[in-house]
Structures are given as structure tokens and as C-alpha cells.
Amino acid sequence: MTAAKFFTHPLGIIGASVSATLLWGSSYPFIKLSYERLGIGSHDTLEQILFAGYRFTLAGLLILLFMLIRREKLRYQRGSGGMVASIALFQTVLQYIFFYAGLSMSAGVVGAVIAGTISFFQILLAHFLYKNDKINGSKGIGLLVGFVGLLVLGLSKHDGSSGLHFSLGELLLMAATLFNAIANLMSKKAAASYSIPYINGYQMLVGGLMLCAIGAWETGLAPFQFDWISLLMLLHLAIVSALAFMLWNNVMKYNSVGSVSMYLFLIPVFGVLQSALFLGEPLSAAVLAALALVCSGIVIVNRRKQEAAAKRAA
């Protein structure tokens, strides 16, 4: 079976989409477990950045190895340098500096819910950047429902006080999600000229090396005492970045965006469930309500796209 047949078959679409979102969702508990295993505290910012650098440098190398096995061209393509550097800055460096720092100060279940809002940030950005992608009634309702989910998180204070409040960790996670949305739109534009593995492989490698350079500024390049368990965790996180991206973008390549983007609601679902399972974090009523609202918003927003895609195909 060819790649095109597999990724356009209903079972192939479901299998690849669920696998990608399951992998992405696992990053929340595995990052926190890696912190615990390596003794990285919530205020060890440079160590967090360095660990992220390890992860994405390895992920980039894995993608380039995949390209090499498939005999794809690895050499520099003229005019791609600025594009790769820009995507690396937003997708890997800025996003994950904020993400790793924010997750160290927040519960994994909270981070997973906030990460689900990437669809909403992308819709808001697209409204201002693309004339044919404005916010309509359906998108507006989905955005409203999704951001109400964030308000539920903000109103559910852990210290018992009242009023809307987000912790520093939660604000950092929101900023990371915004940087991710910006980078996704940049990657979409770049994909018109360059292959997806080329873009992602090199931007992860460049971004990972930049994170390593920043993190090693005072800590040195190898401050951690790895054992086989922490090494396996690092390998898992690298595979999450490399494999999940490859699966998802093949689904996107062979199918209309509107027909598959609704699967994104599984990321916060899997993130919350795996954080509860692996970290033993409680699933409070507020977290479950916020998760339900964010997922509902994603479904509402993308249902319209799915219906439009079906009409165009008819």
C-alpha cells in the first residue's frame, strides 16, 4: 500500500491522527517526569532550556536520518536559510523556552488544556493575515466557547481566593501556544516551496542547537546525570517531536485541512488523561469543565471547515 492510499483511507486517517495526538499528549507528563528524574527544579531555567535543546537537536537528527533512509536531498536549498531560522526561532526556541518554564510551574493537566487553545490563536491570527479566512459566526462561537474554558481555569484558584487569576506558569504556557500558532502559519507558507521533512528537520536541529547554546551559557553542556530511564524519556520526547509531526503532516498532505483538523481536540484530552495517569494529578471539576469547553470549541470551529470541504468535494 502506498503512502497516499494509506493516509487517505479512513482507517489510515484515524490511526495516524490518533497516534500523533497521543504522542503529543504524552509530552506533558514525560517532561515533568524527566525534570523529577534529573533534578531540574521549577526555577532551574537554564537547565530546562538545555534539556529542551537536547530533545529538539535529537528530533531534528532523527528526521534528517529518516530523509537519508528515504534518499531525500539533505543539502542546503537556496533561499531557505532565513525561513528555517525564522521558524526555528518561533517554533522551537521561543515556544519551548516559555513552554518548559511554564510547565515546570504548572500541573500537567493544566498545561494540556491550555495547549488545546492553539487552534483558537491560529484562527485569530489568520483573521488578520488572510482575506479569505475571516472569523465567521461558527468560528466566533467556537472561539467564545474555547476561551470560556480558559476563564474557568483562571477562576478556579488553587489557593482558595476568588476572582480571575492566572499563575505565571499558566501565562507562560499561553505565550508558548501563541508562538506555536505563529510558527504553524509560517510553516504553512514555507511548505509551498520546500518539503515538510526538510523544513521541520532543519528548523528543529537549528532551534535545538540554539537552545543548547543558551542553556549551556552558565550550566555547561552536560550538567545532568543521565541513567537509562532518563535517557529513554529523552528519546521518547524526541520521537514525539519527530514522529508525531511526520504522521500529522502526511495526513494534512493527502487530505483537506478541514476534514482532519478536528482531531486536534484529542491533544488536550490525551494530555490530561496521561498527566493524571503517569503523574497522579487530580482531575478537578474545574479542569474537566475547562477541558470539555476547549475541546467543544475546537470541534465547533473545525466542523464548519469539514462541512465546507465536503461541499467542495461533492
Side-chain angles (χ1 to χ4, degrees), residues 119-127 133 135 139 143 301 305:
S119 292
F120 309 136
F121 283 115
Q122 286 183 176
I123 289 168
L124 287 172
L125 290 171
H127 174 79
D133 205 356
I135 295 176
K139 289 181 181 178
L143 286 172
V301 163
K305 293 180 182 179

Side-chain angles (χ1 to χ4, degrees), residues 137-166:
S138 176
K139 289 181 181 178
I141 293 172
L143 286 172
L144 180 61
V145 171
F147 282 117
V148 167
L150 283 183
L151 291 178
V152 169
L153 278 183
L155 289 169
S156 62
K157 287 288 290 151
H158 304 294
D159 57 10
S161 62
S162 60
L164 181 63
H165 173 82
F166 290 102

Side-chain angles (χ1 to χ4, degrees), residues 63 191 194-201 245-246 249-250 252-253:
I63 293 176
Y194 307 96
S195 75
I196 290 172
Y198 178 89
I199 295 169
N200 206 55
F245 180 89
M246 299 301 292
N249 281 279
N250 271 291
M252 295 284 285
K253 177 179 179 180

Side-chain angles (χ1 to χ4, degrees), residues 40 87 115 142 183 196:
I40 302 174
I87 296 175
I196 290 172

